[in-house]
Amino acid sequence: MSDMTKEDVTAMILSAKKTAGMTWEGIAEKIGMSPVWTHSAAMGMNAFPPKQAALMVSTIGLPQEAESVLSESPTKIWEQAVPTDPCIYRFYEIVGVYGPTLKALIQEKFGDGIMSAIDFDMSVTRVENPKGDRVKVEMSGKYLGYNSW
Amino acid sequence: MSDMTKEDVTAMILSAKKTAGMTWEGIAEKIGMSPVWTHSAAMGMNAFPPKQAALMVSTIGLPQEAESVLSESPTKIWEQAVPTDPCIYRFYEIVGVYGPTLKALIQEKFGDGIMSAIDFDMSVTRVENPKGDRVKVEMSGKYLGYNSW
Amino acid sequence: MSDMTKEDVTAMILSAKKTAGMTWEGIAEKIGMSPVWTHSAAMGMNAFPPKQAALMVSTIGLPQEAESVLSESPTKIWEQAVPTDPCIYRFYEIVGVYGPTLKALIQEKFGDGIMSAIDFDMSVTRVENPKGDRVKVEMSGKYLGYNSW
Amino acid sequence: MSDMTKEDVTAMILSAKKTAGMTWEGIAEKIGMSPVWTHSAAMGMNAFPPKQAALMVSTIGLPQEAESVLSESPTKIWEQAVPTDPCIYRFYEIVGVYGPTLKALIQEKFGDGIMSAIDFDMSVTRVENPKGDRVKVEMSGKYLGYNSW
Amino acid sequence: MSDMTKEDVTAMILSAKKTAGMTWEGIAEKIGMSPVWTHSAAMGMNAFPPKQAALMVSTIGLPQEAESVLSESPTKIWEQAVPTDPCIYRFYEIVGVYGPTLKALIQEKFGDGIMSAIDFDMSVTRVENPKGDRVKVEMSGKYLGYNSW
Amino acid sequence: MSDMTKEDVTAMILSAKKTAGMTWEGIAEKIGMSPVWTHSAAMGMNAFPPKQAALMVSTIGLPQEAESVLSESPTKIWEQAVPTDPCIYRFYEIVGVYGPTLKALIQEKFGDGIMSAIDFDMSVTRVENPKGDRVKVEMSGKYLGYNSW
Amino acid sequence: MSDMTKEDVTAMILSAKKTAGMTWEGIAEKIGMSPVWTHSAAMGMNAFPPKQAALMVSTIGLPQEAESVLSESPTKIWEQAVPTDPCIYRFYEIVGVYGPTLKALIQEKFGDGIMSAIDFDMSVTRVENPKGDRVKVEMSGKYLGYNSW
Amino acid sequence: MSDMTKEDVTAMILSAKKTAGMTWEGIAEKIGMSPVWTHSAAMGMNAFPPKQAALMVSTIGLPQEAESVLSESPTKIWEQAVPTDPCIYRFYEIVGVYGPTLKALIQEKFGDGIMSAIDFDMSVTRVENPKGDRVKVEMSGKYLGYNSW
Amino acid sequence: MSDMTKEDVTAMILSAKKTAGMTWEGIAEKIGMSPVWTHSAAMGMNAFPPKQAALMVSTIGLPQEAESVLSESPTKIWEQAVPTDPCIYRFYEIVGVYGPTLKALIQEKFGDGIMSAIDFDMSVTRVENPKGDRVKVEMSGKYLGYNSW
Amino acid sequence: MSDMTKEDVTAMILSAKKTAGMTWEGIAEKIGMSPVWTHSAAMGMNAFPPKQAALMVSTIGLPQEAESVLSESPTKIWEQAVPTDPCIYRFYEIVGVYGPTLKALIQEKFGDGIMSAIDFDMSVTRVENPKGDRVKVEMSGKYLGYNSW
């Protein structure tokens, strides 16, 4: 039962990253992916394609066995239906307050459907601002229209 | 007890909008605000500044009493801790899957803090794409660093 | 505030269907759609395309105002996170027992991704069987692979 | 207290399957059962009949003690009333949106009753499609009519 | 929207029963069914077969329209996942305390399967006892063995 | 902290029972109690009277220390407010559907009160039936009338 | 559907009590019962025996129809699993903190069993105390020992 | 990290009490406190004053380090919002059924306020009764009136 | 059943306050109480002492019947265990993050006990600050030490 | 996987603090921060700035590796949506009872917005009082007005 798990590999990555003083942006650049996707896959919330898994192993210095673990499809689980960490909660709050608005505008611009959370990408950037710098989050997902049959 | 409530005014707006064949984008343009904010305030989730309240009354053709109601501070309530509508759920899912990633990257770029959901703005746009058009959601909020004292 | 709602139209449909002794299969045939989709749209869980909305109004004998209501995009809400009705609960139980299996086989056959519940169709048929007839439910949805970026 | 549990055997199967590069479809063929049932029983959600338990032990290379464990009746437990993994959630969503429709059509075709989730079978297949391949899920269960007494 | 609902008919039955001083046992006898089933169907939790619906209308003195309502398939909903009424809670407690025992003995006597709650009947009787009379509840349901396929 | 717990003794019983190929019915007969009570007490949900504890130790072959553990009063805990195992869920469903009926008939036959779940007994039997054998569950509890004071 | 309900009668009692400036203690004395039981029955949480129902109608000045309503067996429902009112919450807190203690001492003094909440009585009294008067709550219930069979 | 915790000390007390055949009443007498308070403090739900901590160590025969642990302020946590053990549930039920009554009588006798659960004491006694002995629970807490300012 | 309720009076106060352009601070001054308490009592979360009830009726211009309603003890109920409104949520978050800290410091300064939420007062003030004005909330409650007995 | 975690460091601090007989006030003074912030950061709910991390290591006598751990950004998690410890619950209760009041007064004094829980500070002091000393909690946070865009 001593097989390496995604949790094990995540712990190794966090430990090596701290020791080496790397950043997520730096790791992302080395494996040729975006920082959002790289962090999420390193946390075990996305699967590394073979090439990126290999790069990850060499970049971070992981044992060889980790490579196949990084490529496994994860089961995405979060424990808190309502997250308590203030940084994450604010995004939950935005969904609560603006969810119906996002739906209404997607319908107005596209028709009856949704933005995919699977065929999806996201970025986080820092925008300088004299009144205080701003966090900019951009997400885009393919529009999927409801089927009628 | 016959005072007009925010719910009453929201219903009037939806009814008038349907009759007049207006769009949220069109209404937003008339009152000089963005579509996201305009829809959200019309739903009673944000308060109209006086000038916009007056423009809303004239644009939509609401009774005069609605003007002060539109300017009242709302109590923001959502009933479903986990939203069921698929279009809104996908955003909840994104917070579940990518919440820890958003937190990690905000910390890497700014330090220990959060993106404000109060000093905040958001837009929804349609991006043409040969493989299927995409919904683009951009949000920005002021970075707030934790105080130590 | 006397606008007709999707709930109103659903009640009219149920009442007219009972009076006229129609079946869902019969209604579906008249509007040229499948029984599953027709029932679901009549319940206000899907939007009728314009042509089907018009056919529905004439088939069932609804007031003209209902036509546009049938075409509106619904907000899909269900109250019970765990359904209590035995007929619906059994499907919930199947998701609980076989959910990880469905996930494992989709990954084995397609890769890391999901079956869309939006680009989706479903049917229910009766299969004769000497040991007792069987309910056959067939669903199909487009495979969506996770994006990496 | 060192008795082997169903969880232990599931872990052994997953480990051996990975090492041997087997697929669920391949294992299923070897033991003469369907892939859905085989995976589910391997996960400890169904009990292996004696013959299949013996075949499983020889096919996968499990210790002899595992044979009787595979044949034990499982207690079926799932932790998340609402599953978070997107692939599993989509099936939950289908039950939420289409549950009342499944019930209505079962009643129309059979009378007042349910589809059994016990006398039940299911398959998952890949259907090629130029617009994107589709996941097809077929389930069938015995119709059980409510008793009146 | 003035169609008669199952709730309306339940209220009529309760009112008429009180006025006429009838008992559930008496009503059950008149329609030729058991008291448990009769009460449950009168509460809208089971559907009356046509003959019993007609007998119910004549026995209780209900309007003719009630007959078809009594025959409709009900949607079985209970609001409290854990019932608070002490009389009902005790049965919930029995399921909590003895649920695993019922499961173990059904498996010992029948194999891997369940007792059907659909092909099911139940009775309540008073058993005289010098230390205090006892409530006897007898339930029986068809054994359903899990399918393997 | 190495004291033997009820969980330890339950595990010993299950292990010894499996090795010896005993049944619950067989064990129950040896200690002179019913199978339902015996299983439930072996699971740690009821306390063994001294004589039965001694018989249990000799019948199963438990260490002497287990005797006093078997006699301790248990704290009855179940983790799942709504049980997921299909065999146990069906009993939960029966309480949901027929709870108000059980209450109404107890009141009709006894007055305002409850069936005790403490001064209580239960049996499970197999009833042969050409259409499929049936599980029969009989429970009886002392009627307790509400006090008024 | 205009039958008088227990809720109606509770409202009548509260209104008449306020108008007449009565106290619960006063009403209790008039009907010859304790204040705790009287209030609880007036709230619809206990059933009035015929004599007390008649006295209640004459004491409070209720319409004659109320008499039979007061005698009906109530269904005891509380909406909040954890009560929010501070006065009620403190009793919930006492159960949380001292529940295991109550259980341990009942077992030490009586054996394995419970205090009945059905064959039960309670009083509330004011105890003068120079450091601040105290609320004294006394409850007593019949000891019920677990049956073994 | 090997510091002794309140849980450790509770386990030592339970083990020593069993070995020595002591009762809670006996231990309470030895340390000069009531049985309710003694049990609750031994469970880690109350803090021992220095003198009682020392007496507890000598009475039970605990290691010296336990003395300071017994005096630490506990964090009072209970896992089950609704307790499942029947003995504890009955007290929860009493709060559910009689909570509003306790509130009404406290207000009638004292004014708008609560019974303190902090400046609080409780006892459990056995009251002989020819119809079956009764559990008597007496609790008293300081009345605290709401402040207005 | 037409008695005036606390909800009715709250609605009257809000309506009259809006018409008259009063502030909570202004109303509080007129009745000689603090703004926090005044608002809370006007919302029906605290009871007005007779003098303040009379002043409230004359200040706001309420019907005479409202005076006694204002003096009634309220039942304090809040629907959302976790509040969604961002302004109220932030206070909930503070309790989540700093709750254990408040407890630790109260113990360090006072001993084992709590801050009363009954013998309690609170104020909200605006503090000017060149980096942005600050909300200052001051609360004070009587220290209550746990009783040992 | 043997990296030191925030939980490890919290345990070391608590152990060293106990051994050395330090107080939170004393530790806070040594590192030049307030007691509230110091305790909260020591519990792992806030991040130490580098200088304070170094002071903490020398003041408490922690291993050098702890310094960087103290500076890491924490993920703020609390398990109990409704806290059970009476001392913490009272603050939750205050948010429940006075939350809408805090919101109303913040709006009256500042406009539509919130008090920040991020740019935030808090203190706890003991106020002597002849009727019993009082706990004074002062919190202040930057006012953040809702953006409209």
Side-chain angles (χ1 to χ4, degrees):
Chain A
M1 255 65 350
S2 65
D3 291 325
M4 198 181 279
T5 65
K6 276 195 176 283
E7 287 71 33
D8 297 334
V9 179
T10 292
M12 287 174 203
I13 294 173
L14 288 173
S15 179
K17 171 178 176 290
K18 189 177 171 181
T19 307
M22 285 181 285
T23 62
W24 292 112
E25 202 137 346
I27 297 170
E29 204 174 353
K30 285 244 171 79
I31 67 167
M33 304 298 286
S34 71
V36 165
W37 184 87
T38 302
H39 177 274
S40 141
M43 289 303 103
M45 285 300 237
N46 272 307
F48 283 84
K51 189 181 142 202
Q52 276 72 225
L55 280 166
M56 197 72 187
V57 165
S58 58
T59 297
I60 302 275
L62 300 171
Q64 198 51 42
E65 189 188 349
E67 193 172 325
S68 71
V69 178
L70 288 170
S71 293
E72 284 167 14
S73 292
T75 294
K76 302 179 183 189
I77 289 180
W78 54 96
E79 303 287 349
Q80 298 186 299
V82 179
T84 57
D85 185 82
C87 185
I88 303 176
Y89 181 82
R90 296 307 179 271
F91 291 99
Y92 172 81
E93 188 175 286
I94 289 166
V95 174
V97 174
Y98 294 101
T101 293
L102 289 165
K103 177 178 167 66
L105 293 181
I106 288 171
Q107 283 167 7
E108 184 166 307
K109 286 174 198 296
F110 293 84
D112 191 27
I114 68 160
M115 179 188 88
S116 178
I118 307 299
D119 186 341
F120 170 80
D121 60 72
M122 181 159 57
S123 67
V124 178
T125 47
R126 179 172 188 142
V127 179
E128 301 211 352
N129 188 308
K131 293 186 197 158
D133 288 0
R134 295 179 80 80
V135 181
K136 180 163 196 177
V137 175
E138 291 171 280
M139 52 179 78
S140 107
K142 191 178 175 181
Y143 169 73
L144 304 176
Y146 281 107
N147 197 24
S148 53
W149 71 94
Chain B
M1 248 84 330
S2 65
D3 291 327
M4 199 181 279
T5 66
K6 276 194 175 286
E7 287 71 32
D8 296 334
V9 178
T10 292
M12 286 174 205
I13 294 174
L14 288 173
S15 178
K17 171 176 176 290
K18 189 179 171 182
T19 307
M22 287 180 283
T23 62
W24 292 111
E25 201 137 346
I27 297 171
E29 203 175 352
K30 285 243 171 80
I31 68 166
M33 305 297 287
S34 70
V36 166
W37 184 87
T38 301
H39 177 274
S40 142
M43 290 302 101
M45 284 302 236
N46 271 307
F48 284 84
K51 189 181 143 201
Q52 275 72 224
L55 279 166
M56 198 70 186
V57 165
S58 59
T59 297
I60 302 275
L62 300 171
Q64 198 52 40
E65 189 188 349
E67 192 171 328
S68 70
V69 178
L70 288 170
S71 293
E72 284 167 15
S73 292
T75 293
K76 301 178 184 190
I77 289 178
W78 55 96
E79 303 287 348
Q80 298 186 300
V82 178
T84 56
D85 184 81
C87 185
I88 303 176
Y89 181 83
R90 296 308 179 270
F91 291 98
Y92 172 81
E93 189 174 283
I94 289 166
V95 174
V97 174
Y98 294 100
T101 293
L102 289 165
K103 176 177 168 66
L105 293 181
I106 289 171
Q107 283 167 8
E108 183 166 306
K109 287 174 197 293
F110 293 85
D112 192 26
I114 68 161
M115 181 188 86
S116 178
I118 308 297
D119 186 341
F120 171 80
D121 59 73
M122 182 160 55
S123 67
V124 178
T125 46
R126 180 173 188 142
V127 178
E128 301 210 353
N129 189 308
K131 293 186 200 160
D133 288 1
R134 294 179 81 80
V135 181
K136 180 164 195 177
V137 175
E138 291 171 281
M139 52 179 78
S140 110
K142 192 177 176 183
Y143 169 72
L144 303 176
Y146 281 107
N147 197 25
S148 53
W149 72 94
Chain C
M1 249 75 344
S2 64
D3 291 328
M4 199 181 279
T5 66
K6 277 194 176 284
E7 287 71 33
D8 296 335
V9 178
T10 292
M12 286 175 206
I13 294 173
L14 289 172
S15 179
K17 172 176 176 292
K18 190 179 171 181
T19 306
M22 287 180 284
T23 62
W24 291 112
E25 202 136 347
I27 297 170
E29 204 174 352
K30 286 245 171 78
I31 67 166
M33 304 297 286
S34 71
V36 166
W37 184 88
T38 301
H39 177 275
S40 142
M43 289 303 102
M45 284 303 235
N46 271 308
F48 284 84
K51 190 183 143 199
Q52 276 71 224
L55 280 165
M56 197 70 186
V57 165
S58 58
T59 298
I60 303 275
L62 299 171
Q64 198 52 40
E65 188 188 350
E67 192 172 327
S68 71
V69 178
L70 287 169
S71 294
E72 283 167 14
S73 292
T75 293
K76 302 178 183 189
I77 288 178
W78 55 95
E79 303 288 349
Q80 297 186 299
V82 178
T84 56
D85 185 81
C87 185
I88 303 176
Y89 181 83
R90 296 307 180 271
F91 291 98
Y92 172 81
E93 189 175 285
I94 289 166
V95 174
V97 174
Y98 295 100
T101 293
L102 289 165
K103 176 177 168 68
L105 292 180
I106 289 171
Q107 282 167 9
E108 184 166 305
K109 287 174 196 295
F110 293 86
D112 192 27
I114 68 162
M115 181 188 86
S116 178
I118 307 297
D119 186 342
F120 171 80
D121 59 75
M122 182 159 56
S123 67
V124 179
T125 47
R126 180 173 187 142
V127 178
E128 301 212 351
N129 189 307
K131 294 187 198 158
D133 289 0
R134 295 179 80 79
V135 181
K136 180 163 195 178
V137 175
E138 291 171 280
M139 52 179 78
S140 110
K142 192 178 176 183
Y143 169 71
L144 304 176
Y146 282 107
N147 197 25
S148 53
W149 71 94
Chain D
M1 255 63 352
S2 66
D3 291 326
M4 199 180 280
T5 65
K6 276 193 176 284
E7 287 71 32
D8 296 334
V9 179
T10 292
M12 286 174 205
I13 295 173
L14 288 173
S15 179
K17 171 177 176 290
K18 189 178 171 181
T19 306
M22 286 180 285
T23 62
W24 292 111
E25 203 136 345
I27 297 170
E29 204 173 352
K30 286 241 171 81
I31 68 168
M33 303 299 286
S34 70
V36 165
W37 184 88
T38 303
H39 177 274
S40 140
M43 289 303 102
M45 285 301 237
N46 272 306
F48 284 83
K51 190 182 141 200
Q52 276 72 225
L55 279 167
M56 197 72 187
V57 165
S58 58
T59 297
I60 303 275
L62 300 171
Q64 198 52 43
E65 189 188 351
E67 193 171 325
S68 72
V69 178
L70 288 169
S71 293
E72 284 168 13
S73 292
T75 293
K76 303 180 182 189
I77 288 179
W78 54 96
E79 303 287 349
Q80 298 187 300
V82 178
T84 56
D85 185 81
C87 185
I88 304 175
Y89 182 83
R90 296 306 179 271
F91 291 98
Y92 172 81
E93 188 174 285
I94 288 165
V95 174
V97 174
Y98 294 100
T101 293
L102 290 164
K103 178 177 167 67
L105 293 181
I106 289 171
Q107 284 169 7
E108 184 165 306
K109 288 174 197 295
F110 293 84
D112 191 27
I114 67 161
M115 180 188 86
S116 178
I118 307 298
D119 186 341
F120 171 79
D121 60 73
M122 181 160 57
S123 67
V124 178
T125 46
R126 179 172 187 142
V127 179
E128 300 211 353
N129 189 309
K131 292 186 197 159
D133 288 0
R134 294 179 81 79
V135 181
K136 180 163 195 178
V137 175
E138 291 170 281
M139 51 178 80
S140 107
K142 192 178 176 181
Y143 169 72
L144 304 176
Y146 282 107
N147 197 25
S148 52
W149 72 93
Chain E
M1 249 78 341
S2 64
D3 290 327
M4 200 181 278
T5 66
K6 277 195 175 284
E7 287 72 31
D8 296 335
V9 178
T10 292
M12 286 175 206
I13 294 173
L14 288 173
S15 179
K17 171 177 176 290
K18 189 179 171 181
T19 306
M22 287 179 283
T23 63
W24 291 112
E25 203 137 345
I27 296 171
E29 205 174 350
K30 286 242 172 78
I31 68 167
M33 304 298 285
S34 72
V36 165
W37 185 88
T38 302
H39 178 273
S40 142
M43 288 303 102
M45 284 303 235
N46 272 307
F48 284 84
K51 191 183 141 200
Q52 276 72 223
L55 279 166
M56 197 71 186
V57 164
S58 59
T59 297
I60 302 275
L62 299 171
Q64 199 51 41
E65 188 188 350
E67 194 171 325
S68 70
V69 178
L70 287 169
S71 294
E72 284 167 15
S73 292
T75 293
K76 302 179 183 190
I77 288 178
W78 54 95
E79 302 288 348
Q80 297 186 301
V82 179
T84 56
D85 185 81
C87 186
I88 303 176
Y89 181 83
R90 296 307 180 270
F91 291 99
Y92 172 81
E93 189 174 286
I94 288 165
V95 173
V97 174
Y98 295 101
T101 293
L102 290 165
K103 176 177 168 68
L105 293 180
I106 288 171
Q107 283 167 8
E108 184 167 305
K109 286 174 197 294
F110 293 85
D112 191 27
I114 68 163
M115 180 188 86
S116 178
I118 307 297
D119 186 342
F120 171 81
D121 60 73
M122 183 160 55
S123 68
V124 179
T125 48
R126 180 173 187 141
V127 179
E128 302 213 351
N129 189 309
K131 294 187 198 156
D133 289 1
R134 293 179 80 79
V135 181
K136 180 164 195 177
V137 175
E138 290 171 282
M139 51 179 80
S140 109
K142 191 179 177 183
Y143 168 72
L144 304 176
Y146 282 108
N147 196 25
S148 53
W149 72 94
Chain F
M1 252 70 343
S2 65
D3 291 327
M4 200 181 278
T5 65
K6 277 194 175 284
E7 287 71 32
D8 296 335
V9 179
T10 292
M12 286 174 205
I13 295 173
L14 288 173
S15 179
K17 172 178 176 288
K18 189 178 171 180
T19 306
M22 286 180 285
T23 62
W24 292 111
E25 202 136 346
I27 297 170
E29 203 173 352
K30 286 242 171 80
I31 68 167
M33 304 298 287
S34 71
V36 165
W37 184 88
T38 303
H39 178 274
S40 140
M43 288 304 102
M45 285 302 236
N46 271 307
F48 284 84
K51 190 181 142 202
Q52 276 72 224
L55 280 166
M56 197 73 188
V57 164
S58 59
T59 298
I60 302 276
L62 300 172
Q64 199 52 42
E65 188 188 351
E67 194 172 325
S68 72
V69 178
L70 288 169
S71 293
E72 284 168 13
S73 292
T75 293
K76 303 180 183 188
I77 288 179
W78 53 95
E79 303 287 348
Q80 298 187 299
V82 178
T84 56
D85 185 81
C87 185
I88 304 176
Y89 181 83
R90 297 306 179 271
F91 291 98
Y92 172 81
E93 189 175 285
I94 288 165
V95 173
V97 174
Y98 295 100
T101 293
L102 289 165
K103 177 177 168 67
L105 293 181
I106 289 172
Q107 282 168 8
E108 183 166 304
K109 287 174 196 296
F110 293 85
D112 192 27
I114 68 162
M115 180 189 84
S116 179
I118 307 298
D119 187 341
F120 171 81
D121 60 72
M122 182 159 55
S123 67
V124 178
T125 47
R126 179 174 187 140
V127 179
E128 301 211 353
N129 189 308
K131 292 186 199 159
D133 289 1
R134 295 178 80 79
V135 181
K136 180 163 194 177
V137 175
E138 291 171 280
M139 52 179 80
S140 109
K142 192 178 176 182
Y143 169 72
L144 304 176
Y146 281 107
N147 197 24
S148 52
W149 72 93
Chain G
M1 248 84 334
S2 65
D3 290 327
M4 200 181 278
T5 66
K6 274 193 177 286
E7 287 71 32
D8 296 335
V9 179
T10 293
M12 286 174 206
I13 294 173
L14 288 173
S15 178
K17 172 178 175 289
K18 189 178 171 182
T19 306
M22 287 179 285
T23 62
W24 292 112
E25 203 138 344
I27 297 170
E29 205 175 350
K30 286 241 172 80
I31 67 168
M33 304 298 286
S34 71
V36 164
W37 185 88
T38 302
H39 178 274
S40 142
M43 288 303 102
M45 283 303 236
N46 271 306
F48 284 84
K51 190 182 141 199
Q52 276 71 225
L55 279 166
M56 197 70 187
V57 164
S58 58
T59 298
I60 302 275
L62 300 171
Q64 199 52 39
E65 188 188 350
E67 193 172 324
S68 71
V69 178
L70 288 170
S71 294
E72 285 168 13
S73 292
T75 294
K76 301 178 184 192
I77 288 178
W78 55 95
E79 303 287 350
Q80 297 187 301
V82 178
T84 56
D85 185 81
C87 186
I88 304 175
Y89 181 84
R90 296 309 179 269
F91 291 98
Y92 172 82
E93 189 175 285
I94 288 164
V95 174
V97 174
Y98 294 100
T101 293
L102 289 164
K103 177 176 167 68
L105 293 180
I106 288 171
Q107 282 167 7
E108 184 167 305
K109 287 173 197 294
F110 294 84
D112 192 27
I114 68 161
M115 180 189 86
S116 178
I118 308 297
D119 186 341
F120 171 81
D121 60 72
M122 183 160 54
S123 68
V124 178
T125 47
R126 180 173 188 142
V127 179
E128 300 212 352
N129 189 308
K131 292 189 199 156
D133 289 1
R134 293 179 81 79
V135 181
K136 181 165 195 177
V137 175
E138 290 170 283
M139 50 179 80
S140 111
K142 192 178 177 183
Y143 169 72
L144 304 176
Y146 282 107
N147 197 24
S148 52
W149 71 95
Chain H
M1 253 63 350
S2 65
D3 291 326
M4 199 180 279
T5 65
K6 276 195 175 283
E7 287 71 33
D8 296 334
V9 179
T10 292
M12 287 174 204
I13 294 174
L14 288 172
S15 179
K17 172 178 176 289
K18 189 179 172 181
T19 306
M22 288 180 283
T23 62
W24 292 113
E25 202 137 344
I27 297 170
E29 203 173 351
K30 285 243 172 78
I31 67 166
M33 304 298 286
S34 71
V36 166
W37 184 88
T38 302
H39 177 275
S40 140
M43 288 303 103
M45 284 303 237
N46 271 308
F48 284 84
K51 189 181 143 202
Q52 276 72 224
L55 279 166
M56 197 73 188
V57 164
S58 59
T59 298
I60 303 276
L62 300 172
Q64 199 51 42
E65 188 188 351
E67 193 172 325
S68 71
V69 178
L70 288 169
S71 294
E72 284 167 14
S73 292
T75 294
K76 302 179 184 189
I77 288 180
W78 53 95
E79 302 288 349
Q80 297 186 299
V82 178
T84 56
D85 185 81
C87 186
I88 304 176
Y89 182 82
R90 296 307 179 269
F91 291 99
Y92 172 81
E93 188 174 285
I94 288 166
V95 173
V97 174
Y98 294 100
T101 293
L102 289 165
K103 177 178 167 67
L105 293 180
I106 289 171
Q107 282 167 10
E108 184 166 305
K109 287 174 196 295
F110 294 85
D112 191 28
I114 68 162
M115 180 188 86
S116 178
I118 307 298
D119 186 343
F120 170 80
D121 59 73
M122 182 160 56
S123 68
V124 178
T125 48
R126 180 175 186 139
V127 178
E128 301 211 352
N129 189 308
K131 293 188 198 155
D133 289 0
R134 295 178 80 79
V135 181
K136 180 163 195 179
V137 175
E138 291 170 281
M139 51 180 79
S140 109
K142 191 177 176 183
Y143 169 73
L144 304 176
Y146 282 107
N147 197 24
S148 53
W149 72 93
Chain I
M1 248 85 329
S2 64
D3 291 326
M4 199 181 279
T5 66
K6 276 194 176 285
E7 287 71 33
D8 296 336
V9 178
T10 293
M12 286 175 205
I13 293 174
L14 288 173
S15 179
K17 173 178 175 290
K18 188 179 171 181
T19 306
M22 287 180 284
T23 63
W24 292 112
E25 202 137 346
I27 298 171
E29 204 174 352
K30 286 242 171 80
I31 68 167
M33 304 299 285
S34 72
V36 165
W37 184 88
T38 302
H39 178 275
S40 141
M43 288 304 101
M45 284 302 236
N46 271 307
F48 285 84
K51 189 182 143 200
Q52 275 71 225
L55 279 166
M56 198 70 187
V57 164
S58 58
T59 297
I60 302 276
L62 300 171
Q64 197 53 38
E65 189 188 349
E67 193 171 326
S68 72
V69 178
L70 288 169
S71 292
E72 284 168 13
S73 292
T75 294
K76 302 178 184 192
I77 289 179
W78 54 95
E79 302 288 349
Q80 297 187 301
V82 178
T84 55
D85 185 81
C87 186
I88 303 175
Y89 182 83
R90 296 307 179 271
F91 291 99
Y92 173 80
E93 188 175 284
I94 289 165
V95 173
V97 174
Y98 294 100
T101 293
L102 289 165
K103 176 176 168 68
L105 293 180
I106 288 171
Q107 283 168 6
E108 184 166 304
K109 287 172 198 294
F110 293 85
D112 192 26
I114 69 161
M115 179 188 87
S116 178
I118 308 297
D119 186 341
F120 170 79
D121 59 73
M122 181 159 57
S123 68
V124 178
T125 47
R126 180 173 188 142
V127 178
E128 301 211 352
N129 188 309
K131 291 187 199 158
D133 288 1
R134 294 179 81 79
V135 181
K136 181 165 195 176
V137 174
E138 290 170 282
M139 51 180 78
S140 111
K142 192 178 176 182
Y143 169 72
L144 304 176
Y146 282 107
N147 197 24
S148 53
W149 72 95
Chain J
M1 252 74 340
S2 66
D3 291 325
M4 198 180 280
T5 65
K6 277 196 175 282
E7 287 71 34
D8 296 335
V9 179
T10 292
M12 288 175 204
I13 293 173
L14 288 173
S15 179
K17 171 177 176 290
K18 189 178 171 182
T19 307
M22 287 181 284
T23 62
W24 292 112
E25 202 136 346
I27 296 170
E29 204 173 353
K30 285 244 172 77
I31 68 166
M33 304 298 287
S34 70
V36 165
W37 185 87
T38 302
H39 177 274
S40 141
M43 288 303 103
M45 284 303 236
N46 271 308
F48 284 84
K51 189 181 143 204
Q52 275 72 223
L55 279 166
M56 198 71 187
V57 164
S58 59
T59 297
I60 302 276
L62 300 172
Q64 199 52 41
E65 189 188 349
E67 193 172 325
S68 72
V69 178
L70 288 169
S71 294
E72 283 168 14
S73 292
T75 294
K76 302 179 183 190
I77 289 180
W78 55 95
E79 302 288 348
Q80 298 186 298
V82 178
T84 56
D85 185 82
C87 185
I88 304 176
Y89 181 83
R90 297 308 179 269
F91 291 99
Y92 172 80
E93 188 175 286
I94 289 165
V95 173
V97 174
Y98 294 101
T101 293
L102 289 165
K103 178 177 166 68
L105 292 180
I106 288 171
Q107 282 167 7
E108 183 166 306
K109 287 174 197 295
F110 293 85
D112 191 27
I114 68 161
M115 180 188 87
S116 178
I118 308 298
D119 186 343
F120 171 79
D121 60 73
M122 182 160 56
S123 68
V124 178
T125 48
R126 181 173 187 140
V127 178
E128 301 211 353
N129 188 309
K131 293 187 198 158
D133 289 0
R134 295 178 80 80
V135 181
K136 180 164 195 178
V137 175
E138 291 171 280
M139 53 179 77
S140 107
K142 191 176 176 183
Y143 169 73
L144 303 176
Y146 282 107
N147 197 24
S148 53
W149 70 93

